[in-house]
């Protein structure tokens, strides 16, 4: 006699069967009550009316663990082919596959059904297959059909396409052979610009559907197509349900000139109730989560003794906390967003998120803000807002004239954009806190494959402004690269060849150029610094609307030209593609200003005070002293370098 599988959700299955091994953050029996916001996700996977399930949130929220629970539940209770898609092959081999096998080992019922001779990327459990695939591999993605296809970290691949459509579309097609197939999608979101609105019937604040072209985050676009549920929790003071999000996080002096330090923010941060305005302590978070529910636009809820009363279309439903999802007749796609302010992680407290956000704002680096909003709060973030008007740039004129060095400037950086018939350059003076002043800008005319124009650049390099010389010059090597490398070699530690890339995992990084543009091995291996142009240009545009006379302001001389200002706004950010696009012919000064910021980051001006700058200046002027952050030196070379420095300083004891 065949026994029917139990009627339970993936959360129920994990509670009954899954054990976390020693070394896990919480070893022992798996508890889904630690992440109650994942229970509606698990319910949606069992609900026949939903064929697609999308859940969006930040890091340390339990997304991957829930994916694993769904896999275990499906193979144990309702065996059918499953495909799991990770972001990279390395992630599959080193993280996902070992964890899934470990889950099988810790679950007796699954381990008995597991074929231990299964290959790495295709496991056999209870007579059906679990295939592991990764984004960008059309072969792996198309190898099998599946009743259940799961895509983890949808936003992580650099190109969210396999060449046959978007990753989500290709994954969904794996289930076309089955009438009851389901697709699960999850990720931390990335780029996008969204607003909120107050629902006219319920009074709750929800994410609005973004305008076309304002979102490049694939997971957020998927969420908008679904039921658009959000995780709501009751305020411990007024008992009203509300949806936490980043703008409800408070710390002393927030968004004012009296804003507190990151350390103070970490100690004093509170969550503000959307309804009554009461300050909520981080210690209330677990109790609020325990009574949380998933709410879609048009639904409202009130707190009862041991349950919630959910209202939809005038009808009331008494539902257990976090354990019910109303099936939808209008939409077969269940989607839910959960704020990082609801994370189960003790580390990810209100204070931690406030500190990270204050630090990111102080850095002025769009990448830092993007990371905090994405991974911390689980929200999309626009690198920039609307492109500024050139008149806004022109309004940043100050009282000093070009060629003068305002008080407070301690470091000069020059950057050069190489064109066919000229070198376009900018000299910017940097102050503490990444405040900066444009000192000089211009064009050196001449064929850039001839030596004459590079000799003019020599003269600029040797010039002084009020006793200050250029500490570092960055030259774009995207054009006339051999000429650029030859010129940079002349100045060793005072010059760098730069190459802008639209997408990089980090703001910048050094590479060795071993072959020329024709693919031939170069006799001399030069260094080149690649940098993220999206971050660089976003930073420049963000400074246009920075408040004057505050730390981090970005000002211009009184006689700056309209042409310079128009070039600064010659590109705008395409949220749909996640890159900058040119909207007018000349953008050379924007390129120079973006490179200038990146060189300042390379020199760590955002971390150092004036005293450290002066010390670094002295070292950089010694041609025998190599820059520490360019590459790792062999130990013997380091010892010789230290001896030379010690001998020059007269400290013979240290040289021996």
């Amino acid at each position: 006699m065949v026994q029917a599988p139990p009627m339970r959700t993936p959360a129920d299955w994990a509670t009954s069967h899954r054990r976390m091994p020693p070394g896990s953050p919480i070893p022992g029996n798996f508890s889904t009550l630690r992440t109650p916001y994942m229970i509606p996700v698990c319910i949606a996977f069992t609900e026949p009316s939903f064929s697609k399930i999308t859940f969006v949130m930040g890091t340390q929220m339990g997304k991957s663990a829930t994916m694993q629970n769904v896999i275990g539940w499906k193979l144990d209770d309702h065996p059918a082919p499953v495909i799991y898609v990770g972001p990279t092959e390395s992630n599959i081999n080193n993280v996902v596959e070992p964890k899934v096998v470990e889950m099988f080992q810790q679950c007796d019922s699954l381990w008995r059904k597991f074929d231990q001779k299964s290959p790495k990327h295709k496991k056999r459990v209870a007579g059906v297959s679990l295939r592991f695939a990764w984004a960008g591999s059309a072969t792996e993605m198309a190898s099998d059909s599946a009743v259940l296809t799961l895509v983890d970290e949808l936003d992580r691949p650099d190109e969210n396409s396999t060449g046959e459509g978007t990753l989500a579309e290709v994954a969904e097609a794996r289930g076309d052979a089955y009438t009851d197939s389901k697709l699960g999608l999850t990720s931390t979101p990335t780029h996008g610009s969204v607003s909120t609105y107050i629902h006219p019937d319920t009074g709750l604040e929800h994410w609005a559907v973004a305008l076309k072209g304002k979102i490049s985050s694939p997971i957020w676009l998927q969420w908008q197509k679904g039921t658009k549920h959000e995780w709501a929790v009751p305020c411990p003071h007024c008992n009203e349900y509300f949806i936490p999000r980043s703008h409800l996080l408070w710390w002393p002096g927030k968004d004012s000139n009296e804003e507190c330090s990151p350390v103070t923010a970490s100690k004093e941060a509170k969550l503000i109730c959307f309804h009554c305005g009461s300050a909520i302590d981080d210690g209330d978070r677990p109790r609020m989560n325990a009574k949380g529910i998933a709410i879609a636009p048009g639904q409202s809820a009130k707190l009862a003794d041991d349950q919630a009363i959910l209202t939809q279309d005038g009808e009331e439903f008494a539902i257990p906390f976090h354990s019910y999802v109303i099936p939808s007749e209008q939409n077969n796609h269940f989607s839910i967003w959960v704020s990082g302010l609801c994370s189960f992680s003790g580390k990810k407290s209100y204070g931690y998120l406030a500190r990270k956000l204050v630090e990111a704002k102080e850095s002025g680096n769009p990448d830092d803000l993007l990371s905090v909003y994405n991974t911390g709060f689980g929200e999309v973030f626009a690198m920039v807002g609307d492109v500024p008007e050139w008149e806004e740039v022109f309004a940043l004129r100050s009282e000093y004239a070009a060629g003068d060095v305002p008080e407070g400037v301690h470091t000069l950086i020059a950057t050069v954009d190489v064109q066919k018939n000229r070198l376009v350059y900018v000299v910017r003076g940097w102050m503490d806190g990444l405040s900066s002043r444009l000192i000089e800008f211009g064009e050196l005319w001449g064929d850039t494959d001839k030596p004459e124009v590079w000799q003019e650049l020599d003269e600029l390099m040797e010039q002084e402004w009020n006793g200050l010389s250029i500490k570092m010059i960055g030259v774009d090597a995207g054009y006339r690269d051999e000429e650029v490398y030859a010129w940079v070699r002349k100045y060793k530690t005072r010059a760098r060849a730069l190459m802008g890339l639209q997408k990089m995992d980090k703001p910048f990084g050094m590479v060795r150029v071993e072959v020329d543009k024709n693919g031939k091995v170069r006799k001399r291996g030069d260094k080149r610094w690649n940098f993220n142009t999206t971050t660089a240009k976003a930073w420049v545009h963000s400074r246009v609307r920075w408040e004057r006379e505050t730390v981090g302001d970005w000002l211009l001389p009184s006689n700056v030209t309209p042409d310079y200002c128009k070039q600064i706004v010659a590109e705008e950010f395409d949220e749909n593609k996640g890159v900058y696009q040119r909207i007018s012919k000349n953008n050379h000064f924007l390129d120079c200003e973006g490179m200038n910021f990146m060189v300042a980051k390379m020199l760590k001006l955002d971390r150092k005070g004036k005293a450290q700058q002066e010390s670094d200046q002295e070292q950089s002027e010694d041609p025998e002293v190599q820059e520490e952050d360019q590459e790792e030196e062999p130990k013997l070379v380091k010892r010789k370098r230290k001896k030379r420095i010690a001998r020059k300083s007269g400290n013979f004891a240290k040289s021996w």
Side-chain angles (χ1 to χ4, degrees):
M1 178 176 168
V2 177
Q3 185 175 2
M7 296 297 293
R8 58 186 175 188
T9 69
D12 297 330
W13 175 88
T15 300
S16 300
H17 290 282
R18 192 170 181 188
R19 295 192 305 276
M20 304 306 291
S24 301
I26 305 177
N29 292 336
F30 190 93
S31 174
T32 54
L33 294 179
R34 286 183 53 80
T35 54
Y37 43 79
M38 288 299 189
I39 295 178
V41 174
C42 293
I43 294 172
F45 274 102
T46 66
E47 174 53 53
S49 66
F50 295 124
S51 61
K52 184 187 291 188
I53 296 91
T54 296
F55 44 114
V56 187
M57 54 200 72
T59 58
Q60 299 183 50
M61 300 283 287
K63 300 189 301 296
S64 296
T66 298
M67 284 283 199
Q68 295 159 18
N69 291 341
V70 172
I71 291 172
W73 160 80
K74 188 65 178 178
L75 295 176
D76 204 8
D77 287 2
H78 309 278
V82 177
I83 295 178
Y84 175 96
V85 184
T88 64
E89 183 178 6
S90 174
N91 175 260
I92 291 292
N93 291 337
N94 301 321
V95 180
V96 177
E97 189 269 348
K99 283 190 175 181
V100 170
V101 172
E102 188 177 59
M103 178 180 71
F104 292 164
Q105 293 171 336
Q106 296 294 323
C107 175
D108 294 338
S109 59
L110 277 178
W111 190 242
R112 289 194 299 268
K113 303 172 185 177
F114 177 52
D115 181 354
Q116 299 183 39
K117 296 181 180 179
S118 301
K120 191 173 188 67
H121 294 153
K122 189 171 184 178
K123 309 300 182 184
R124 299 290 296 180
V125 182
V128 299
S129 66
L130 165 61
R131 172 173 283 281
F132 294 108
W134 50 90
S137 172
T139 302
E140 293 294 328
M141 289 288 291
S143 296
D144 285 314
S145 295
V147 169
L148 175 64
T149 304
L150 303 172
V151 181
D152 201 355
E153 292 300 343
L154 181 68
D155 280 27
R156 276 188 59 186
D158 289 337
E159 297 295 335
N160 204 269
S161 173
T162 64
E164 302 174 2
T166 66
L167 180 55
E169 290 170 343
V170 174
E172 188 168 16
R174 296 306 92 218
D176 286 350
Y178 298 91
T179 58
D180 59 343
S181 64
K182 290 184 183 291
L183 172 67
L185 305 170
T186 191
S187 186
T188 296
T190 48
H191 298 90
S193 177
V194 295
S195 59
T196 61
Y197 72 99
I198 308 300
H199 195 280
D201 298 327
T202 66
L204 288 173
E205 183 183 33
H206 292 282
W207 292 119
V209 174
L211 297 175
K212 184 178 180 180
K214 290 297 184 180
I215 298 289
S216 59
S217 168
I219 196 68
W220 200 273
L221 289 172
Q222 290 291 333
W223 178 82
Q224 289 187 159
K225 296 175 182 178
T227 56
K228 298 188 289 294
H229 279 79
E230 297 172 76
W231 183 249
V233 294
C235 169
H237 302 286
C238 68
N239 289 334
E240 292 288 336
Y241 276 93
F242 72 104
I243 301 159
R245 58 190 90 241
S246 62
H247 76 83
L248 295 176
L249 186 61
W250 173 91
W251 56 86
K254 179 181 179 181
D255 296 331
S256 73
N257 291 333
E258 289 76 38
E259 191 162 53
C260 67
S261 69
V263 173
T264 301
S266 69
K267 296 177 180 178
E268 303 292 335
K270 309 283 185 182
L271 180 64
I272 303 302
C273 173
F274 176 77
H275 297 292
C276 69
S278 297
I280 302 170
D281 293 326
D282 185 72
D284 291 318
R285 184 163 44 120
R287 292 186 293 274
M288 294 162 63
N289 261 343
K291 297 181 179 180
I293 57 173
I295 288 183
Q299 297 176 346
S300 62
K302 58 184 178 181
L303 196 63
D305 293 335
D306 57 355
Q307 59 187 356
I309 306 299
L310 185 69
T311 302
Q312 176 176 289
D313 298 329
E315 186 176 357
E316 291 189 347
F317 301 84
I319 63 173
F321 298 129
H322 58 248
S323 297
Y324 190 76
V325 174
I326 298 177
S328 175
E329 296 179 359
Q330 291 78 32
N331 199 330
N332 66 349
H333 181 179
F334 174 81
S335 63
I336 184 172
W337 173 80
V338 185
S339 171
L341 291 160
C342 299
S343 172
F344 76 95
S345 172
K347 177 183 177 182
K348 204 170 182 179
S349 64
Y350 299 160
Y352 172 82
L353 291 172
R355 176 175 65 82
K356 298 295 288 185
L357 190 51
V358 173
E359 289 174 344
K361 287 181 176 180
E362 288 183 352
S363 77
N365 187 345
D367 272 347
D368 292 344
L369 285 167
L370 181 72
S371 176
V372 174
Y373 279 106
N374 291 170
T375 65
F377 295 100
E379 300 176 8
V380 291
F381 177 74
M383 295 290 283
V384 292
D386 296 332
V387 62
E389 300 293 336
W390 78 265
E391 291 88 352
E392 294 180 76
V393 183
F394 197 57
L396 295 175
R397 292 170 296 163
S398 192
E399 296 178 354
Y400 72 96
D404 294 338
V405 179
E407 183 179 356
V409 170
H410 51 62
T411 302
L412 296 184
I413 294 174
T415 40
V416 181
D417 186 37
V418 181
Q419 299 297 306
K420 181 179 180 180
N421 60 354
R422 67 194 186 281
L423 301 176
V424 183
Y425 72 91
V426 156
V427 179
R428 182 161 283 274
W430 292 86
M431 309 161 73
D432 289 343
L434 281 189
S435 289
S436 65
R437 305 291 183 262
L438 178 61
I439 305 301
E440 187 173 315
F441 63 99
E443 298 173 314
L444 305 176
W445 287 86
D447 291 338
T448 50
D449 60 349
K450 302 292 192 303
E452 289 79 11
V453 72
W454 295 98
Q455 292 169 4
E456 288 191 57
L457 190 60
D458 289 335
E459 296 176 10
L460 180 73
M461 190 65 169
E462 299 306 322
Q463 185 176 337
E464 288 191 354
W465 292 261
N466 291 18
L468 282 178
S469 59
I470 293 172
K471 179 176 181 180
M472 183 67 68
I473 187 167
V475 187
D476 180 20
Y479 186 69
R480 306 287 198 206
D481 57 338
E482 293 300 327
E483 287 81 1
V484 171
Y485 295 134
W487 190 87
V488 166
R489 283 196 295 269
K490 291 168 53 178
Y491 291 95
K492 297 182 180 179
T493 61
R494 293 183 63 203
R496 290 183 178 179
L498 308 177
M499 176 71 77
L501 303 176
Q502 288 186 328
K503 292 186 178 181
M504 288 180 62
D505 291 336
K506 53 186 178 180
F508 58 85
M510 191 273 288
V511 297
R512 283 280 187 180
V513 184
E514 305 292 352
V515 297
D516 63 20
K517 56 187 175 184
N518 296 319
K520 296 182 179 179
V521 177
R522 292 163 49 89
K523 293 181 180 180
R524 184 192 298 267
D526 290 294
K527 299 170 185 175
R528 188 184 73 210
W529 290 79
N530 295 341
F531 69 93
N532 188 318
T533 59
T534 301
T535 298
K537 293 172 183 178
W539 187 87
V540 174
H541 280 181
S542 72
R543 295 289 149 153
V544 172
R545 290 170 177 164
W546 200 271
E547 186 177 352
R548 295 175 66 124
E549 309 303 327
T550 62
V551 174
D553 60 351
W554 183 91
L555 300 182
L556 311 175
S558 58
N559 53 346
V560 70
T561 64
D563 177 63
Y564 165 91
C565 300
K566 290 176 181 179
Q567 289 197 33
I568 293 299
V569 297
E571 296 187 29
E572 65 180 10
F573 189 70
D574 186 331
E575 291 285 358
N576 194 39
K577 297 180 179 179
V579 298
Y580 271 84
Q581 305 278 17
R582 190 183 302 190
I583 56 176
S584 59
K585 182 178 180 181
N586 291 326
N587 64 342
H588 312 308
F589 287 129
L590 173 60
D591 287 340
C592 287
E593 290 286 13
M595 289 189 290
N596 214 284
F597 164 65
M598 278 299 171
V599 174
K601 290 284 288 182
M602 294 173 192
L603 297 179
K604 303 178 182 179
L605 299 194
D606 54 334
R607 305 181 190 177
K608 301 175 181 177
K610 184 174 181 180
Q612 184 65 48
Q613 301 291 346
E614 294 171 350
S615 173
D616 289 350
Q617 178 77 20
E618 292 174 2
Q619 291 192 17
S620 69
E621 291 170 356
D622 182 350
E624 294 183 340
V625 177
Q626 300 298 314
E627 293 177 68
E628 295 179 0
D629 57 350
Q630 287 196 356
E631 60 178 276
E632 287 294 323
E633 298 174 286
K635 292 183 178 179
L636 180 60
V637 175
K638 285 186 177 181
R639 286 198 294 269
K640 289 181 177 179
R641 180 171 65 87
K642 290 180 179 179
K643 287 182 179 181
R644 286 198 302 270
I645 297 171
R647 283 197 295 271
K648 290 184 69 174
S649 65
N651 191 340
F652 297 104
K654 285 189 176 180
S655 71
W656 293 99

